[in-house]
Amino acid sequence: MNMQVRHPSLEALYREVDNFIPKREKLRPPRIGISSNRKDGLSCIAETYVQSVLKTGGAPVLIPAITDIESLTAIIDGIDGLLMSGGGDINPLYVGEEPIPQLQDVDTFHDEYELILLRLAANRQLPIMGICRGHQLINVAFGGSIYQDIHSQHEARLLKHSQTLSHEYASHSVRITDPASRLFEILNKEPDVLVNSFHHQAVKEVAPEFKETATAPDGINEAMEHPEKEIFSVQWHPEAMAANGDELMLELFKHHVEAARLFKEAKRIHSRNVILDSHTDTPMIFPDRFNLGEKEGGKVNLPLMEEGMVDAAIMVAYIPQGKRDDESLRQATDFAMNRLHEIHRQMEINRGKMNIAHTPQEVWVTKAADKKAIMLGVENGYAIGKDIKNIARFKELGVSYITLCHNGSNDICNSARGEAEWGGLSPFGKEVVAEMNRLGILVDLSHAAESTFYDVLETSTQPVIASHSSARALCDHPRNLTDDQLKTLAARQGVVQVCLYKGFINEEAEKASLSDAIRHITHIVDLIGINHVGIGSDFDGDGELIGCRASNELINITVRLLKEGYSENDIAKIWGGNLLRVMSRVQSAYNG
């Protein structure tokens, strides 16, 4: 092991410590939390885990075996990656099974501790690596199953998986089953790898969304990974081999430490810049007693924003397109007002946690006060009815943008969906755009027909936005913007916010993923420049992708952008800087 030996001199030791000058936080090694084993009342771990992390540039942190959630949360918030170590059997009650006779000793307290740890880390999107028991526990935590004992429960003729060899020696081979996997890349594209093996429990059915990446010659699962998140695990013990000079096994730890370094940088970027999601439909799911300060089933709330280090969200009063008689229009306006008032009620019951922000400056002030900023929007100009004075009423409640239409034409314009009625903007629609310009409210062209899009750009005296739209060149959907529309929007100093709705990201909607969203962002950046793109999740309006399903997972976008080579300045622009710049310009036109 690479352990420095010093002569026992207190004076020399203190001199070395006192003269040490640490690197700036950005350059310090990422902190890798290692889950403890429990033995004879001790929280302990084999030193090979520690040495493998040290050798690959990480700072190992041993996490004690405790089940106090508040304390474990504080620990998780202070690390950048999690390593789930090996150990004893898992209590089968956690997978809804009764114990079989071949089950060995279990430690339910240990299971509870590690499951809490995993859940906290997964909620915060930490990179996670699992080893042996850690591999099995990750599978259980994400909904997979395990064999309590492979020798009595598996039908195949098995290898000797419980070896008596010293841990640093290989005992059998594994085959990489997925050449498109992260594991195949990490292991230098070696199809067959020699490993060690010390287990009698094993992964049975791989957890949903995860994919198997390696098996032993007898078919026993040996590795798995999440296709979009930085979570992977192996059944063998690479730490014993890596700490004793196995360069291939060391690659596993290099990958994990590098993933933690990127996550650490993503957290730093989120702490220094406003992270804003430009479109959420959360008010649509408000029941009478809904509380944004609690996790109550939605994809956007204050705790989830805290976990994802998201500073601000624009919550919209969404109104589906309905009839356009006087009574229906009045009801649409009243409904929008009710949703907006409900967001104001949320501020009253969460005053210490959130603030309704009207301007970009207020967003920054709210972040500085360690609160979440909620901005307001209206989705569907149907809520305006035929009374242009309603726009000023929305302005008084703090509305920052109005989406001119939804699915179907209204009295303002043609929609991207449904029958064309006006050939673009209606005469009333032109008045609406002019009034929004006057009042400093952003005109939002998401959902608008192409004819409406170009009519608005001719009519508006101010830049406009698309609060949640993606690139039609990558996903041919009428809700997305063509390359010509994107170029025209940028030429008028507007901004498009990439939407995370799966049907707008991938034509095979059920396959839509975080990787697809990154492709949309990069396509738009390459086409019109970094100053004209942002992100509007459409969460709580059915927006979600594999790898990014709620506010707490938005930091995964930042990590992926860092991998693609985007700078902090680029990412700050994408995560709100561009939209807030346009908003400031439009609001500055209002002097009322």
Side-chain angles (χ1 to χ4, degrees):
M1 295 184 188
N2 183 22
M3 297 179 68
Q4 184 176 354
V5 178
R6 298 176 174 90
H7 292 296
S9 167
L10 187 63
E11 180 182 354
L13 184 63
Y14 281 4
R15 184 168 56 249
E16 181 181 352
V17 171
D18 292 345
N19 289 336
F20 177 76
I21 301 174
K23 297 175 182 177
R24 290 184 298 124
E25 175 60 29
K26 181 180 180 180
L27 301 177
R28 291 181 188 177
R31 295 170 288 271
I32 308 297
I34 306 174
S35 68
S36 296
N37 271 314
R38 291 215 320 149
K39 184 177 181 181
D40 300 328
L42 303 175
S43 290
C44 55
I45 197 69
E47 287 190 357
T48 48
Y49 288 98
V50 173
Q51 290 301 314
S52 296
V53 171
L54 280 172
K55 279 188 171 187
T56 49
V61 178
L62 184 62
I63 303 175
I66 57 175
T67 57
D68 182 79
I69 296 175
E70 184 172 10
S71 297
L72 287 175
T73 297
I75 293 170
I76 284 290
D77 285 342
I79 63 176
D80 309 303
L82 178 63
L83 176 57
M84 300 299 296
S85 64
D89 283 5
I90 298 169
N91 191 327
L93 293 177
Y94 280 112
V95 290
E97 296 178 2
E98 297 295 334
I100 64 173
Q102 293 82 359
L103 181 72
Q104 297 178 12
D105 290 340
V106 298
D107 181 347
T108 303
F109 182 90
H110 190 210
D111 293 343
E112 183 180 311
Y113 148 67
E114 290 200 315
L115 287 168
I116 293 171
L117 199 59
L118 262 175
R119 187 67 170 183
L120 291 171
N123 284 349
R124 286 154 181 77
Q125 312 310 303
L126 266 70
I128 300 171
M129 175 181 176
I131 291 175
C132 196
R133 167 192 161 88
H135 169 61
Q136 298 163 19
L137 201 77
I138 289 171
N139 195 53
V140 169
F142 286 94
S145 62
I146 57 171
Y147 292 105
Q148 293 184 48
D149 175 70
I150 52 176
H151 303 288
S152 58
Q153 292 184 311
H154 198 281
E155 296 177 355
R157 185 174 181 179
L158 300 178
L159 297 173
K160 184 179 180 182
H161 285 273
S162 296
Q163 299 287 344
T164 55
L165 282 171
S166 180
H167 280 44
E168 64 264 30
Y169 294 107
S171 59
H172 69 83
S173 65
V174 298
R175 164 140 298 202
I176 308 301
T177 55
D178 185 352
S181 67
R182 192 181 303 120
L183 183 67
F184 189 59
E185 293 293 327
I186 296 170
L187 297 177
N188 299 330
K189 299 185 178 180
E190 295 283 351
D192 296 287
V193 180
L194 293 177
V195 303
N196 51 17
S197 191
F198 309 91
H199 67 103
H200 80 112
Q201 292 194 324
V203 166
K204 185 178 181 182
E205 295 172 328
V206 173
E209 286 196 2
F210 282 74
K211 60 180 182 179
E212 181 176 82
T213 56
T215 60
D218 56 10
I220 293 294
N221 175 280
E222 290 282 344
M224 67 177 189
E225 66 187 45
H226 193 283
E228 293 293 332
K229 297 186 178 186
E230 275 295 345
I231 307 174
F232 78 100
S233 56
V234 297
Q235 179 58 66
W236 65 92
H237 278 271
E239 82 290 347
M241 302 174 77
N244 286 279
D246 191 310
E247 293 296 327
L248 195 58
M249 293 299 104
L250 207 59
E251 293 297 323
L252 295 169
F253 293 91
K254 286 180 182 178
H255 176 86
H256 184 55
V257 169
E258 173 59 16
R261 187 193 67 78
L262 281 177
F263 186 71
K264 177 174 180 278
E265 177 63 5
K267 290 194 295 183
R268 191 186 71 85
I269 289 172
H270 278 231
S271 69
R272 288 161 50 96
N273 301 279
V274 163
I275 307 299
L276 180 145
D277 178 354
S278 69
H279 189 90
T280 75
D281 283 295
T282 307
M284 187 169 68
I285 66 170
F286 285 168
D288 289 340
R289 303 311 306 166
F290 187 90
N291 185 348
L292 274 177
E294 300 175 359
K295 290 184 179 180
E296 295 196 355
K299 297 179 184 295
V300 185
N301 53 52
L302 303 182
L304 289 176
M305 291 173 70
E306 184 69 23
E307 288 178 357
M309 297 183 72
V310 176
D311 300 302
I314 302 181
M315 295 188 174
V316 299
Y318 159 70
I319 311 95
Q321 187 58 45
K323 297 178 180 179
R324 286 153 58 186
D325 58 89
D326 290 346
E327 178 59 22
S328 297
L329 292 174
R330 184 190 64 78
Q331 290 179 6
T333 302
D334 288 347
F335 181 80
M337 291 292 183
N338 173 269
R339 297 295 84 186
L340 296 171
H341 282 297
E342 175 61 18
I343 302 174
H344 280 270
R345 187 182 77 86
Q346 294 298 323
M347 188 178 74
E348 293 303 316
I349 60 179
N350 291 288
R351 188 167 288 278
K353 302 175 183 177
M354 65 171 276
N355 182 50
I356 292 180
H358 300 78
T359 67
Q361 182 182 8
E362 289 181 5
V363 172
W364 276 102
V365 169
T366 300
K367 178 181 174 70
D370 198 26
K371 298 180 184 180
K372 301 304 178 186
I374 305 299
M375 304 189 89
L376 308 182
V378 172
E379 186 175 19
N380 197 353
Y382 176 53
I384 298 170
K386 297 179 181 178
D387 186 355
I388 205 160
K389 293 179 182 178
N390 282 329
I391 301 175
R393 294 175 65 197
F394 292 141
K395 171 74 175 182
E396 289 176 4
L397 286 174
V399 167
S400 60
Y401 72 69
I402 298 175
T403 314
L404 295 185
C405 59
H406 193 250
N407 293 334
S409 298
N410 58 24
D411 288 300
I412 295 172
C413 64
N414 285 351
S415 165
R417 306 294 293 269
E419 294 184 10
E421 182 175 340
W422 301 106
L425 279 174
S426 70
F428 178 65
K430 292 179 180 180
E431 292 180 34
V432 167
V433 170
E435 180 68 356
M436 288 173 67
N437 286 168
R438 185 185 74 82
L439 292 172
I441 297 176
L442 287 163
V443 177
D444 176 22
L445 288 173
S446 289
H447 287 285
E450 285 191 59
S451 56
T452 300
F453 178 93
Y454 290 109
D455 264 7
V456 168
L457 289 178
E458 285 187 13
T459 303
S460 179
T461 60
Q462 297 293 331
V464 301
I465 68 166
S467 70
H468 58 304
S469 296
S470 299
R472 199 181 300 187
L474 299 187
C475 182
D476 189 11
H477 191 286
R479 269 282 286 106
N480 286 340
L481 301 183
T482 65
D483 282 359
D484 183 71
Q485 286 177 290
L486 291 167
K487 291 176 183 177
T488 306
L489 187 69
R492 293 293 303 275
Q493 304 305 309
V495 62
V496 57
Q497 305 289 109
V498 170
C499 182
L500 306 184
Y501 184 87
K502 56 189 178 183
F504 307 156
I505 286 290
N506 190 322
E507 290 175 16
E508 296 183 76
E510 296 311 310
K511 295 182 179 180
S513 68
L514 174 60
S515 295
D516 294 322
I518 299 301
R519 280 192 283 272
H520 279 260
I521 291 170
T522 297
H523 172 80
I524 296 171
V525 169
D526 290 344
L527 184 72
I528 61 176
I530 193 67
N531 294 321
H532 304 285
V533 61
I535 298 165
S537 69
D538 209 12
F539 287 155
D540 291 328
D542 290 334
E544 65 170 359
L545 305 172
I546 298 170
C548 193
R549 298 190 182 276
S551 287
N552 62 318
E553 300 188 19
L554 288 174
I555 196 170
N556 292 334
I557 294 177
T558 307
V559 172
R560 293 293 290 274
L561 291 174
L562 285 169
K563 279 188 178 180
E564 294 292 321
Y566 287 83
S567 69
E568 177 178 352
N569 189 49
D570 294 336
I571 293 169
K573 289 180 178 182
I574 292 169
W575 266 131
N578 290 332
L579 182 73
L580 294 177
R581 181 193 70 246
V582 175
M583 185 183 293
S584 291
R585 175 172 169 176
V586 171
Q587 289 183 350
S588 67
Y590 177 61
N591 57 14

